[in-house]
Amino acid sequence: MNYCSTCGEKVSLIIPEGDNRHRYVCESCETIHYENPKIVTGCIPQWQDKILLCKRAIEPRYGLWTLPAGFMENAETNIEGAARETAEEANAQVENMQLFCVFSIAHINQVYTMYRGDLVGGMASPGAESLDVALLDESEIPWKNIAFQVMHETLRLYYQDKKKGVFNTYYGDIIKQADGSFMVKYF
Amino acid sequence: MNYCSTCGEKVSLIIPEGDNRHRYVCESCETIHYENPKIVTGCIPQWQDKILLCKRAIEPRYGLWTLPAGFMENAETNIEGAARETAEEANAQVENMQLFCVFSIAHINQVYTMYRGDLVGGMASPGAESLDVALLDESEIPWKNIAFQVMHETLRLYYQDKKKGVFNTYYGDIIKQADGSFMVKYF
C-alpha cells in the first residue's frame, strides 16, 4: 500500500496512537487502513457414496484437484459463499450445508470454512475455473494430486468421520514449518 | 474508495473482465481492489461456574456488556486472535479453546467466530476498551444490557448446552429484518 484510497495522498507505516501494531495511515485525512485476514469458504458436495472434486484450470496448482472453495464476498453469508463457489466452479447446487471444519492459515492471512453439503441431483460440470469435475468414492480420491494442504486435511477428516458414522466439527491451525512442510494442530 | 492504493490514480467501479461483481479497479495500473468480509473473533472465558463479561468503554454500545472479541489481525490464528482480544479487553488469559459458534452477519460483512476457553486463575481486570469486567453466573447475566445480538445469541446457546451437559458447535446467520429486528437462522 502506497497511497490513501480515500484522499490519494501518500500513506505512512506507523503505529497509530492507542494501537500496538503498524498500520498504513494517511496523515493527510487521518484514515487508518486496516488489513485483515480473508475468508475462503467451500464445501464437500456429497452424492450417494461419492463426493465432488474439481480439477483446477487456474494457478496456483493448475491441473490438481480440489474441493470447490473461494474468497467469501461482501453481502453474502459464509454458507452462501460456499454454495456460490460450488456453482461457479462446478455448475452444481448444494443443500443441507453443515459446518465441518475451520482452519486458520496464519502465514497467508486466511481462514478456511468448509461445509458438508448434498449435491442436488448428482449433477455437475466444469465451470470456468475448472478443467474437469468428478464424482469419486474414497478409493478414487487422488490423494497425491490434491491442490492444497487444507483440502487434503479436510478430505482426511471427512473419511475419518465417515468411517465412524458421525461427523464432528473441527478447528485446526495449518502451520508452515521452517523446512517448508506443513503441520496441522487441532484444538 | 476513491484512489488506487498502489499507484494513487482515481479508481473506477466496474465489473472486471471474467468477473460478475462490481469492483474498484485502477485502469492505470490495472489493480483490482477486492473488498471482503472481516472476521471478528472472541471467546467465552469460563471460570468454575461463571463466565467473564466486559462492560464496553467504547462506542458502539458504550456501557453495555459483551464477551471479549474483536477484529482478527493478519499473521495470527483465529484462536490467537480470540485470546489476544481477551488479554486486551480484560487483562485475562484463556486456554483450552474450543470452537463454539460461527455467525455470518451479511449486512455488515462480518463473520464471528466464538470459542469456549478456560480463564486462567479466574483473574481479570478492565483493559483500555472496558469500563469494568465481571465473573457472573447464569442468574447474573444482564440479558437486557448485552451489547450485540451475536453476543446475546452466543450466551443463549452457551447456557442451553451447559444445561444439557454437552457443548456442540453451531453455525448461524444473523439476519436484519425490514423492521430492524434480528432473526437467527441455524443450519
Side-chain angles (χ1 to χ4, degrees), chain A residues 2 5-6 23 73 78 104, chain B residues 2 5-6 23 73 78 104:
Chain A
N2 304 308
S5 56
T6 305
R23 315 278 184 189
E73 299 277 6
N78 199 237
S104 257
Chain B
N2 304 308
S5 56
T6 305
R23 314 278 183 190
E73 299 276 5
N78 199 236
S104 257

Side-chain angles (χ1 to χ4, degrees), chain B residues 115-133:
Chain B
Y115 293 82
R116 292 182 300 111
D118 295 330
L119 175 62
V120 177
M123 299 281 286
S125 64
E129 297 181 1
S130 303
L131 295 171
D132 196 5
V133 296

Side-chain angles (χ1 to χ4, degrees), chain A residues 1-9 19-21 23 34-39 71-80 84 88 97-99 102 104-107 109-111 113 115 169-171 173 175 187, chain B residues 1-9 19-21 23 34-39 71-80 84 88 97-99 102 104-107 109-111 113 115 169-171 173 175 187:
Chain A
M1 187 178 296
N2 304 308
Y3 297 91
C4 175
S5 56
T6 305
C7 78
E9 292 297 311
D19 203 337
N20 51 23
R21 282 165 196 255
R23 315 278 184 189
Y34 295 97
E35 296 182 296
N36 302 90
K38 289 190 195 298
I39 298 165
F71 287 113
M72 184 179 169
E73 299 277 6
N74 279 350
E76 71 184 2
T77 68
N78 199 237
I79 280 185
E80 286 169 352
R84 176 185 50 71
E88 289 176 5
M97 301 275 264
Q98 297 288 313
L99 184 60
V102 176
S104 257
I105 316 182
H107 69 278
N109 304 320
Q110 291 181 359
V111 173
T113 55
Y115 293 81
T169 307
Y170 296 92
Y171 170 85
D173 292 339
I175 301 160
F187 291 82
Chain B
M1 187 179 296
N2 304 308
Y3 297 92
C4 175
S5 56
T6 305
C7 78
E9 292 297 310
D19 202 338
N20 52 24
R21 283 167 196 255
R23 314 278 183 190
Y34 295 97
E35 296 182 298
N36 301 91
K38 289 189 196 299
I39 298 165
F71 287 113
M72 184 179 170
E73 299 276 5
N74 279 350
E76 70 183 3
T77 69
N78 199 236
I79 280 184
E80 286 169 352
R84 176 185 50 71
E88 289 176 4
M97 301 275 264
Q98 297 289 314
L99 183 60
V102 176
S104 257
I105 316 183
H107 69 277
N109 304 320
Q110 291 180 359
V111 173
T113 55
Y115 293 82
T169 307
Y170 296 92
Y171 171 86
D173 292 339
I175 301 160
F187 292 82

Side-chain angles (χ1 to χ4, degrees), chain A residues 45-51 118-119 121-122 135-136 158 162:
Chain A
Q46 307 166 117
W47 170 249
Q48 296 170 352
D49 205 39
K50 296 170 186 273
I51 65 166
D118 295 330
L119 175 62
L135 278 169
L136 305 172
Y158 179 78
K162 192 163 186 277

Side-chain angles (χ1 to χ4, degrees), chain B residues 44-76:
Chain B
I44 307 168
Q46 308 167 116
W47 170 251
Q48 296 170 350
D49 205 39
K50 295 170 188 273
I51 65 167
L52 180 71
L53 292 185
C54 303
K55 191 174 187 177
R56 290 174 64 82
I58 52 172
E59 294 292 350
R61 317 291 166 88
Y62 179 97
L64 297 188
W65 292 86
T66 189
L67 291 161
F71 287 113
M72 184 179 170
E73 299 276 5
N74 279 350
E76 70 183 3

Side-chain angles (χ1 to χ4, degrees), chain A residues 93-143:
Chain A
Q93 307 305 312
V94 278
E95 59 186 19
N96 304 323
M97 301 275 264
Q98 297 288 313
L99 184 60
F100 182 53
C101 49
V102 176
F103 288 106
S104 257
I105 316 182
H107 69 278
I108 52 170
N109 304 320
Q110 291 181 359
V111 173
Y112 272 72
T113 55
M114 296 296 296
Y115 293 81
R116 291 183 300 111
D118 295 330
L119 175 62
V120 177
M123 299 281 287
S125 64
E129 297 181 2
S130 304
L131 295 171
D132 196 5
V133 297
L135 278 169
L136 305 172
D137 66 27
E138 186 178 0
S139 71
E140 297 170 312
I141 301 292
W143 292 104

